[in-house]
Amino acid sequence: MNRALALMLFVTLLQVPLAEIGSAFRHVRFLATLLVSNFVAIPAIVLLLLQIVPEEPMVRLGVLMMPDPPRTASGHRIYDDSHVARLRFILRARELSFAI
């Protein structure tokens, strides 16, 4: 398995409380939202992004991992804690010699 993918999955799953997973799957609205977002919305967004990004694989990976943040009316980027956390994750993965 790709080490970068394994690391991303591990970090993602650390945020899920294991005791609540069973109860989450009993909520039909939750499951419907999960399925639609993962198998319809996200692939559609990725497909649209890949149409406008150059063919260079590392550029594409960078665009998909670090989306463009919102901007003010004057064009300045607005970064929040989620952007900082994602950037720290990418930098830490690079320090660990993952091909990101």
Side-chain angles (χ1 to χ4, degrees), residues 16-52:
V16 177
L18 294 177
E20 296 179 18
I21 288 180
S23 65
F25 284 111
R26 282 180 251 150
H27 294 101
V28 176
R29 243 174 64 191
F30 169 77
L31 283 177
T33 303
L34 182 75
L35 292 173
V36 168
S37 64
N38 281 320
F39 295 108
V40 177
I42 299 297
I45 291 169
V46 169
L47 182 64
L48 290 173
L49 279 175
L50 291 178
Q51 300 301 316
I52 60 172

